[in-house]
Amino acid sequence: MNKFSVNKTRILWWIISSIAIVISLAAMGFSLAQFNAPLRPGLDFVGGTRLQIERDCSIPENCSEPIEIAEVRQVLEAENLGNSTIQLLGDNKQILAVRTQNLDVEERTQLQTALSARIGKFNPQTIQIDSVGPTIGQELFTSGLLALIISFFGIIAYLSVRFQFDYALFAILALFHDVLITAGVFAILGLVAQVEVDSLFLVSLLTIIGFSVNDTVVVYDRIRETIKVDSHRSIEEIVDDAVNQSLTRSINTTLTTLLPLLAIFLFGGQTLKFFALALIIGFILGAYSSICIASTLLSWWRMNKKNNQTVAIADSATSD
């Protein structure tokens, strides 16, 4: 049985990742131009009031047609809330979510009355109202970003002590790869499907980092142990063997983790749906980057470093 050689096709993995990164950066660039943020920001980060209401389908003919965004927009403009964000949720588009500037109780009641008069009666038991001030939103964003930065520096320090600095460097590049592409997917979703990111998205990124670095450490452990035993072999052969030894474990771990996440995505409700989606994307990328990116970058670096040292020694001998 032929072994999987990750190094023979490393150019292919690098091209695939480069294309994904370019698309992600382009999507975040478009998002930055449209929302003044690389991702469509949710209520947690920008502050405001989010009102979610569902039509009362127990009333005859009340849910015969999906809610029309144009009608909702007209109501909001009449209430001087024309810059609000509108989302229709549910398979039948009977759930309306509106994010506006901060509204007091009287303004919220007035808006609900106007929407009910124009669109149809809403079920009072389904009303969800969330309000976040802009200061709190800024604090949440700053705290989340700080947590990401600290986690990256902590990982660099840990891997540098446990392995060597070049191991840590390529592990961090793999983590950036995972986080950047996951963010890029959500930038695209924000542009085409009005998907917003909230504090749960930052939690998902931290979780992805932990999962990805764990996978990378498993591969690196195999590489280090093989180097100790067979140091005379080429680094490419050692990395290929290490990947083959840990490949089944990585795939099985990822698949068993994805199953409950898929269940949460399908049946966990609107609140957890995109949190689960971020984890699904990130965990798949984490397994891929550990096997195809971190390992191949390390073998490429070590091979070129060894070749340069050999050339330097040969040049020194020639000059003598």
PDB file of all heavy atoms in Angstrom, residues 61-92:
ATOM      1  N   GLU A  61     -54.948  33.164   7.423  1.00  0.00           N
ATOM      2  CA  GLU A  61     -54.375  33.979   6.350  1.00  0.00           C
ATOM      3  C   GLU A  61     -53.261  34.927   6.808  1.00  0.00           C
ATOM      4  O   GLU A  61     -52.726  35.683   6.006  1.00  0.00           O
ATOM      5  CB  GLU A  61     -55.470  34.813   5.656  1.00  0.00           C
ATOM      6  CG  GLU A  61     -56.600  33.999   5.062  1.00  0.00           C
ATOM      7  CD  GLU A  61     -56.117  33.033   3.980  1.00  0.00           C
ATOM      8  OE1 GLU A  61     -55.214  33.419   3.219  1.00  0.00           O
ATOM      9  OE2 GLU A  61     -56.630  31.900   3.934  1.00  0.00           O
ATOM     10  N   ASN A  62     -52.900  34.890   8.094  1.00  0.00           N
ATOM     11  CA  ASN A  62     -51.866  35.810   8.581  1.00  0.00           C
ATOM     12  C   ASN A  62     -50.478  35.438   8.070  1.00  0.00           C
ATOM     13  O   ASN A  62     -49.601  36.292   7.930  1.00  0.00           O
ATOM     14  CB  ASN A  62     -51.873  35.841  10.110  1.00  0.00           C
ATOM     15  CG  ASN A  62     -51.142  37.057  10.661  1.00  0.00           C
ATOM     16  OD1 ASN A  62     -51.295  38.166  10.172  1.00  0.00           O
ATOM     17  ND2 ASN A  62     -50.324  36.840  11.687  1.00  0.00           N
ATOM     18  N   CYS A  63     -50.275  34.137   7.791  1.00  0.00           N
ATOM     19  CA  CYS A  63     -48.960  33.654   7.348  1.00  0.00           C
ATOM     20  C   CYS A  63     -49.026  33.066   5.943  1.00  0.00           C
ATOM     21  O   CYS A  63     -48.207  32.210   5.589  1.00  0.00           O
ATOM     22  CB  CYS A  63     -48.433  32.609   8.324  1.00  0.00           C
ATOM     23  SG  CYS A  63     -48.205  33.208  10.009  1.00  0.00           S
ATOM     24  N   SER A  64     -49.977  33.508   5.164  1.00  0.00           N
ATOM     25  CA  SER A  64     -50.151  32.946   3.822  1.00  0.00           C
ATOM     26  C   SER A  64     -49.011  33.331   2.882  1.00  0.00           C
ATOM     27  O   SER A  64     -48.699  32.613   1.938  1.00  0.00           O
ATOM     28  CB  SER A  64     -51.485  33.403   3.221  1.00  0.00           C
ATOM     29  OG  SER A  64     -51.540  34.823   3.184  1.00  0.00           O
ATOM     30  N   GLU A  65     -48.373  34.468   3.138  1.00  0.00           N
ATOM     31  CA  GLU A  65     -47.258  34.931   2.312  1.00  0.00           C
ATOM     32  C   GLU A  65     -46.070  35.264   3.207  1.00  0.00           C
ATOM     33  O   GLU A  65     -46.251  35.641   4.371  1.00  0.00           O
ATOM     34  CB  GLU A  65     -47.658  36.183   1.521  1.00  0.00           C
ATOM     35  CG  GLU A  65     -48.787  35.969   0.532  1.00  0.00           C
ATOM     36  CD  GLU A  65     -48.381  35.099  -0.645  1.00  0.00           C
ATOM     37  OE1 GLU A  65     -47.155  35.032  -0.926  1.00  0.00           O
ATOM     38  OE2 GLU A  65     -49.263  34.493  -1.272  1.00  0.00           O
ATOM     39  N   PRO A  66     -44.848  35.106   2.707  1.00  0.00           N
ATOM     40  CA  PRO A  66     -43.687  35.499   3.513  1.00  0.00           C
ATOM     41  C   PRO A  66     -43.643  37.006   3.719  1.00  0.00           C
ATOM     42  O   PRO A  66     -44.231  37.779   2.944  1.00  0.00           O
ATOM     43  CB  PRO A  66     -42.499  35.011   2.674  1.00  0.00           C
ATOM     44  CG  PRO A  66     -43.019  34.920   1.279  1.00  0.00           C
ATOM     45  CD  PRO A  66     -44.469  34.541   1.395  1.00  0.00           C
ATOM     46  N   ILE A  67     -42.951  37.422   4.758  1.00  0.00           N
ATOM     47  CA  ILE A  67     -42.801  38.852   5.028  1.00  0.00           C
ATOM     48  C   ILE A  67     -41.971  39.491   3.920  1.00  0.00           C
ATOM     49  O   ILE A  67     -40.973  38.935   3.464  1.00  0.00           O
ATOM     50  CB  ILE A  67     -42.114  39.065   6.398  1.00  0.00           C
ATOM     51  CG1 ILE A  67     -42.989  38.494   7.519  1.00  0.00           C
ATOM     52  CG2 ILE A  67     -41.833  40.541   6.649  1.00  0.00           C
ATOM     53  CD1 ILE A  67     -42.313  38.502   8.875  1.00  0.00           C
ATOM     54  N   GLU A  68     -42.392  40.669   3.484  1.00  0.00           N
ATOM     55  CA  GLU A  68     -41.683  41.388   2.427  1.00  0.00           C
ATOM     56  C   GLU A  68     -40.743  42.420   3.054  1.00  0.00           C
ATOM     57  O   GLU A  68     -41.176  43.266   3.840  1.00  0.00           O
ATOM     58  CB  GLU A  68     -42.670  42.088   1.496  1.00  0.00           C
ATOM     59  CG  GLU A  68     -43.531  41.157   0.667  1.00  0.00           C
ATOM     60  CD  GLU A  68     -42.746  40.446  -0.419  1.00  0.00           C
ATOM     61  OE1 GLU A  68     -41.654  40.939  -0.768  1.00  0.00           O
ATOM     62  OE2 GLU A  68     -43.212  39.406  -0.904  1.00  0.00           O
ATOM     63  N   ILE A  69     -39.461  42.331   2.685  1.00  0.00           N
ATOM     64  CA  ILE A  69     -38.476  43.269   3.230  1.00  0.00           C
ATOM     65  C   ILE A  69     -38.809  44.710   2.835  1.00  0.00           C
ATOM     66  O   ILE A  69     -38.627  45.643   3.624  1.00  0.00           O
ATOM     67  CB  ILE A  69     -37.061  42.890   2.757  1.00  0.00           C
ATOM     68  CG1 ILE A  69     -36.600  41.597   3.447  1.00  0.00           C
ATOM     69  CG2 ILE A  69     -36.063  44.012   3.042  1.00  0.00           C
ATOM     70  CD1 ILE A  69     -35.204  41.147   3.084  1.00  0.00           C
ATOM     71  N   ALA A  70     -39.331  44.896   1.614  1.00  0.00           N
ATOM     72  CA  ALA A  70     -39.664  46.249   1.145  1.00  0.00           C
ATOM     73  C   ALA A  70     -40.709  46.900   2.044  1.00  0.00           C
ATOM     74  O   ALA A  70     -40.610  48.098   2.356  1.00  0.00           O
ATOM     75  CB  ALA A  70     -40.161  46.184  -0.294  1.00  0.00           C
ATOM     76  N   GLU A  71     -41.695  46.123   2.479  1.00  0.00           N
ATOM     77  CA  GLU A  71     -42.730  46.668   3.359  1.00  0.00           C
ATOM     78  C   GLU A  71     -42.151  47.033   4.721  1.00  0.00           C
ATOM     79  O   GLU A  71     -42.504  48.063   5.306  1.00  0.00           O
ATOM     80  CB  GLU A  71     -43.870  45.663   3.510  1.00  0.00           C
ATOM     81  CG  GLU A  71     -44.676  45.438   2.242  1.00  0.00           C
ATOM     82  CD  GLU A  71     -45.853  44.500   2.469  1.00  0.00           C
ATOM     83  OE1 GLU A  71     -45.893  43.867   3.543  1.00  0.00           O
ATOM     84  OE2 GLU A  71     -46.716  44.419   1.589  1.00  0.00           O
ATOM     85  N   VAL A  72     -41.275  46.171   5.221  1.00  0.00           N
ATOM     86  CA  VAL A  72     -40.634  46.456   6.510  1.00  0.00           C
ATOM     87  C   VAL A  72     -39.794  47.724   6.403  1.00  0.00           C
ATOM     88  O   VAL A  72     -39.815  48.579   7.295  1.00  0.00           O
ATOM     89  CB  VAL A  72     -39.755  45.263   6.949  1.00  0.00           C
ATOM     90  CG1 VAL A  72     -39.026  45.591   8.250  1.00  0.00           C
ATOM     91  CG2 VAL A  72     -40.593  44.012   7.109  1.00  0.00           C
ATOM     92  N   ARG A  73     -39.076  47.870   5.303  1.00  0.00           N
ATOM     93  CA  ARG A  73     -38.244  49.046   5.101  1.00  0.00           C
ATOM     94  C   ARG A  73     -39.088  50.323   5.086  1.00  0.00           C
ATOM     95  O   ARG A  73     -38.693  51.353   5.643  1.00  0.00           O
ATOM     96  CB  ARG A  73     -37.465  48.903   3.795  1.00  0.00           C
ATOM     97  CG  ARG A  73     -36.554  50.073   3.457  1.00  0.00           C
ATOM     98  CD  ARG A  73     -35.408  50.181   4.434  1.00  0.00           C
ATOM     99  NE  ARG A  73     -34.498  49.045   4.344  1.00  0.00           N
ATOM    100  CZ  ARG A  73     -33.517  48.826   5.207  1.00  0.00           C
ATOM    101  NH1 ARG A  73     -33.336  49.650   6.234  1.00  0.00           N
ATOM    102  NH2 ARG A  73     -32.728  47.772   5.067  1.00  0.00           N
ATOM    103  N   GLN A  74     -40.246  50.267   4.458  1.00  0.00           N
ATOM    104  CA  GLN A  74     -41.135  51.436   4.419  1.00  0.00           C
ATOM    105  C   GLN A  74     -41.580  51.842   5.824  1.00  0.00           C
ATOM    106  O   GLN A  74     -41.636  53.033   6.157  1.00  0.00           O
ATOM    107  CB  GLN A  74     -42.347  51.147   3.536  1.00  0.00           C
ATOM    108  CG  GLN A  74     -42.023  51.049   2.051  1.00  0.00           C
ATOM    109  CD  GLN A  74     -43.220  50.631   1.217  1.00  0.00           C
ATOM    110  OE1 GLN A  74     -44.328  50.515   1.727  1.00  0.00           O
ATOM    111  NE2 GLN A  74     -42.986  50.406  -0.067  1.00  0.00           N
ATOM    112  N   VAL A  75     -41.904  50.852   6.645  1.00  0.00           N
ATOM    113  CA  VAL A  75     -42.316  51.144   8.025  1.00  0.00           C
ATOM    114  C   VAL A  75     -41.167  51.790   8.792  1.00  0.00           C
ATOM    115  O   VAL A  75     -41.350  52.773   9.530  1.00  0.00           O
ATOM    116  CB  VAL A  75     -42.774  49.852   8.738  1.00  0.00           C
ATOM    117  CG1 VAL A  75     -43.032  50.118  10.221  1.00  0.00           C
ATOM    118  CG2 VAL A  75     -44.024  49.291   8.082  1.00  0.00           C
ATOM    119  N   LEU A  76     -39.954  51.238   8.631  1.00  0.00           N
ATOM    120  CA  LEU A  76     -38.799  51.774   9.346  1.00  0.00           C
ATOM    121  C   LEU A  76     -38.475  53.202   8.906  1.00  0.00           C
ATOM    122  O   LEU A  76     -38.134  54.055   9.734  1.00  0.00           O
ATOM    123  CB  LEU A  76     -37.584  50.866   9.107  1.00  0.00           C
ATOM    124  CG  LEU A  76     -37.663  49.471   9.739  1.00  0.00           C
ATOM    125  CD1 LEU A  76     -36.511  48.602   9.255  1.00  0.00           C
ATOM    126  CD2 LEU A  76     -37.633  49.561  11.263  1.00  0.00           C
ATOM    127  N   GLU A  77     -38.587  53.457   7.618  1.00  0.00           N
ATOM    128  CA  GLU A  77     -38.342  54.824   7.126  1.00  0.00           C
ATOM    129  C   GLU A  77     -39.367  55.793   7.679  1.00  0.00           C
ATOM    130  O   GLU A  77     -39.038  56.952   7.994  1.00  0.00           O
ATOM    131  CB  GLU A  77     -38.343  54.835   5.600  1.00  0.00           C
ATOM    132  CG  GLU A  77     -37.114  54.152   4.998  1.00  0.00           C
ATOM    133  CD  GLU A  77     -37.180  54.064   3.483  1.00  0.00           C
ATOM    134  OE1 GLU A  77     -38.254  54.375   2.921  1.00  0.00           O
ATOM    135  OE2 GLU A  77     -36.169  53.661   2.867  1.00  0.00           O
ATOM    136  N   ALA A  78     -40.614  55.352   7.807  1.00  0.00           N
ATOM    137  CA  ALA A  78     -41.657  56.209   8.380  1.00  0.00           C
ATOM    138  C   ALA A  78     -41.379  56.518   9.855  1.00  0.00           C
ATOM    139  O   ALA A  78     -41.793  57.572  10.365  1.00  0.00           O
ATOM    140  CB  ALA A  78     -43.018  55.539   8.245  1.00  0.00           C
ATOM    141  N   GLU A  79     -40.653  55.615  10.529  1.00  0.00           N
ATOM    142  CA  GLU A  79     -40.295  55.817  11.939  1.00  0.00           C
ATOM    143  C   GLU A  79     -38.905  56.448  12.083  1.00  0.00           C
ATOM    144  O   GLU A  79     -38.352  56.470  13.191  1.00  0.00           O
ATOM    145  CB  GLU A  79     -40.318  54.473  12.679  1.00  0.00           C
ATOM    146  CG  GLU A  79     -41.661  53.783  12.698  1.00  0.00           C
ATOM    147  CD  GLU A  79     -42.686  54.527  13.529  1.00  0.00           C
ATOM    148  OE1 GLU A  79     -42.294  55.136  14.545  1.00  0.00           O
ATOM    149  OE2 GLU A  79     -43.872  54.500  13.154  1.00  0.00           O
ATOM    150  N   ASN A  80     -38.357  56.969  10.981  1.00  0.00           N
ATOM    151  CA  ASN A  80     -37.019  57.582  10.967  1.00  0.00           C
ATOM    152  C   ASN A  80     -35.931  56.585  11.380  1.00  0.00           C
ATOM    153  O   ASN A  80     -34.966  56.926  12.066  1.00  0.00           O
ATOM    154  CB  ASN A  80     -36.982  58.813  11.876  1.00  0.00           C
ATOM    155  CG  ASN A  80     -37.890  59.926  11.398  1.00  0.00           C
ATOM    156  OD1 ASN A  80     -37.952  60.194  10.196  1.00  0.00           O
ATOM    157  ND2 ASN A  80     -38.600  60.554  12.325  1.00  0.00           N
ATOM    158  N   LEU A  81     -36.087  55.330  10.929  1.00  0.00           N
ATOM    159  CA  LEU A  81     -35.124  54.271  11.218  1.00  0.00           C
ATOM    160  C   LEU A  81     -34.676  53.598   9.919  1.00  0.00           C
ATOM    161  O   LEU A  81     -34.483  52.388   9.852  1.00  0.00           O
ATOM    162  CB  LEU A  81     -35.738  53.224  12.157  1.00  0.00           C
ATOM    163  CG  LEU A  81     -36.202  53.724  13.529  1.00  0.00           C
ATOM    164  CD1 LEU A  81     -36.997  52.645  14.255  1.00  0.00           C
ATOM    165  CD2 LEU A  81     -35.004  54.163  14.365  1.00  0.00           C
ATOM    166  N   GLY A  82     -34.513  54.396   8.887  1.00  0.00           N
ATOM    167  CA  GLY A  82     -34.227  53.867   7.559  1.00  0.00           C
ATOM    168  C   GLY A  82     -32.879  53.180   7.427  1.00  0.00           C
ATOM    169  O   GLY A  82     -32.675  52.394   6.504  1.00  0.00           O
ATOM    170  N   ASN A  83     -31.941  53.459   8.342  1.00  0.00           N
ATOM    171  CA  ASN A  83     -30.612  52.834   8.257  1.00  0.00           C
ATOM    172  C   ASN A  83     -30.524  51.529   9.046  1.00  0.00           C
ATOM    173  O   ASN A  83     -29.438  51.014   9.301  1.00  0.00           O
ATOM    174  CB  ASN A  83     -29.541  53.809   8.756  1.00  0.00           C
ATOM    175  CG  ASN A  83     -29.767  54.207  10.210  1.00  0.00           C
ATOM    176  OD1 ASN A  83     -30.856  54.027  10.740  1.00  0.00           O
ATOM    177  ND2 ASN A  83     -28.738  54.764  10.829  1.00  0.00           N
ATOM    178  N   SER A  84     -31.657  50.975   9.428  1.00  0.00           N
ATOM    179  CA  SER A  84     -31.684  49.742  10.218  1.00  0.00           C
ATOM    180  C   SER A  84     -31.375  48.531   9.336  1.00  0.00           C
ATOM    181  O   SER A  84     -31.522  48.567   8.120  1.00  0.00           O
ATOM    182  CB  SER A  84     -33.053  49.561  10.875  1.00  0.00           C
ATOM    183  OG  SER A  84     -33.362  50.665  11.700  1.00  0.00           O
ATOM    184  N   THR A  85     -30.957  47.443   9.995  1.00  0.00           N
ATOM    185  CA  THR A  85     -30.682  46.179   9.313  1.00  0.00           C
ATOM    186  C   THR A  85     -31.871  45.247   9.483  1.00  0.00           C
ATOM    187  O   THR A  85     -32.396  45.090  10.589  1.00  0.00           O
ATOM    188  CB  THR A  85     -29.423  45.514   9.893  1.00  0.00           C
ATOM    189  OG1 THR A  85     -28.314  46.399   9.739  1.00  0.00           O
ATOM    190  CG2 THR A  85     -29.125  44.205   9.191  1.00  0.00           C
ATOM    191  N   ILE A  86     -32.280  44.607   8.377  1.00  0.00           N
ATOM    192  CA  ILE A  86     -33.455  43.733   8.380  1.00  0.00           C
ATOM    193  C   ILE A  86     -33.035  42.320   8.002  1.00  0.00           C
ATOM    194  O   ILE A  86     -32.281  42.131   7.044  1.00  0.00           O
ATOM    195  CB  ILE A  86     -34.521  44.235   7.381  1.00  0.00           C
ATOM    196  CG1 ILE A  86     -34.909  45.676   7.692  1.00  0.00           C
ATOM    197  CG2 ILE A  86     -35.745  43.334   7.391  1.00  0.00           C
ATOM    198  CD1 ILE A  86     -35.739  46.327   6.600  1.00  0.00           C
ATOM    199  N   GLN A  87     -33.527  41.336   8.744  1.00  0.00           N
ATOM    200  CA  GLN A  87     -33.310  39.934   8.415  1.00  0.00           C
ATOM    201  C   GLN A  87     -34.626  39.177   8.524  1.00  0.00           C
ATOM    202  O   GLN A  87     -35.421  39.435   9.435  1.00  0.00           O
ATOM    203  CB  GLN A  87     -32.305  39.294   9.371  1.00  0.00           C
ATOM    204  CG  GLN A  87     -30.861  39.564   9.043  1.00  0.00           C
ATOM    205  CD  GLN A  87     -29.936  38.791   9.970  1.00  0.00           C
ATOM    206  OE1 GLN A  87     -29.815  39.096  11.157  1.00  0.00           O
ATOM    207  NE2 GLN A  87     -29.280  37.782   9.440  1.00  0.00           N
ATOM    208  N   LEU A  88     -34.847  38.246   7.582  1.00  0.00           N
ATOM    209  CA  LEU A  88     -35.989  37.341   7.652  1.00  0.00           C
ATOM    210  C   LEU A  88     -35.470  35.957   7.989  1.00  0.00           C
ATOM    211  O   LEU A  88     -34.561  35.444   7.336  1.00  0.00           O
ATOM    212  CB  LEU A  88     -36.741  37.322   6.315  1.00  0.00           C
ATOM    213  CG  LEU A  88     -37.368  38.652   5.876  1.00  0.00           C
ATOM    214  CD1 LEU A  88     -38.093  38.489   4.547  1.00  0.00           C
ATOM    215  CD2 LEU A  88     -38.333  39.180   6.927  1.00  0.00           C
ATOM    216  N   LEU A  89     -36.039  35.346   9.016  1.00  0.00           N
ATOM    217  CA  LEU A  89     -35.565  34.060   9.509  1.00  0.00           C
ATOM    218  C   LEU A  89     -36.645  33.004   9.340  1.00  0.00           C
ATOM    219  O   LEU A  89     -37.818  33.325   9.107  1.00  0.00           O
ATOM    220  CB  LEU A  89     -35.169  34.178  10.986  1.00  0.00           C
ATOM    221  CG  LEU A  89     -34.203  35.322  11.335  1.00  0.00           C
ATOM    222  CD1 LEU A  89     -34.009  35.405  12.839  1.00  0.00           C
ATOM    223  CD2 LEU A  89     -32.874  35.138  10.623  1.00  0.00           C
ATOM    224  N   GLY A  90     -36.237  31.748   9.480  1.00  0.00           N
ATOM    225  CA  GLY A  90     -37.180  30.646   9.366  1.00  0.00           C
ATOM    226  C   GLY A  90     -37.367  30.217   7.922  1.00  0.00           C
ATOM    227  O   GLY A  90     -37.150  30.996   6.985  1.00  0.00           O
ATOM    228  N   ASP A  91     -37.781  28.986   7.738  1.00  0.00           N
ATOM    229  CA  ASP A  91     -37.973  28.446   6.387  1.00  0.00           C
ATOM    230  C   ASP A  91     -39.056  29.178   5.619  1.00  0.00           C
ATOM    231  O   ASP A  91     -38.969  29.340   4.404  1.00  0.00           O
ATOM    232  CB  ASP A  91     -38.321  26.953   6.471  1.00  0.00           C
ATOM    233  CG  ASP A  91     -37.172  26.126   7.038  1.00  0.00           C
ATOM    234  OD1 ASP A  91     -36.019  26.584   6.923  1.00  0.00           O
ATOM    235  OD2 ASP A  91     -37.433  25.043   7.603  1.00  0.00           O
ATOM    236  N   ASN A  92     -40.086  29.633   6.323  1.00  0.00           N
ATOM    237  CA  ASN A  92     -41.215  30.295   5.661  1.00  0.00           C
ATOM    238  C   ASN A  92     -41.123  31.812   5.705  1.00  0.00           C
ATOM    239  O   ASN A  92     -42.077  32.501   5.315  1.00  0.00           O
ATOM    240  CB  ASN A  92     -42.538  29.843   6.298  1.00  0.00           C
ATOM    241  CG  ASN A  92     -42.761  28.354   6.151  1.00  0.00           C
ATOM    242  OD1 ASN A  92     -42.450  27.777   5.108  1.00  0.00           O
ATOM    243  ND2 ASN A  92     -43.277  27.715   7.195  1.00  0.00           N
TER     244      ASN A  92
END
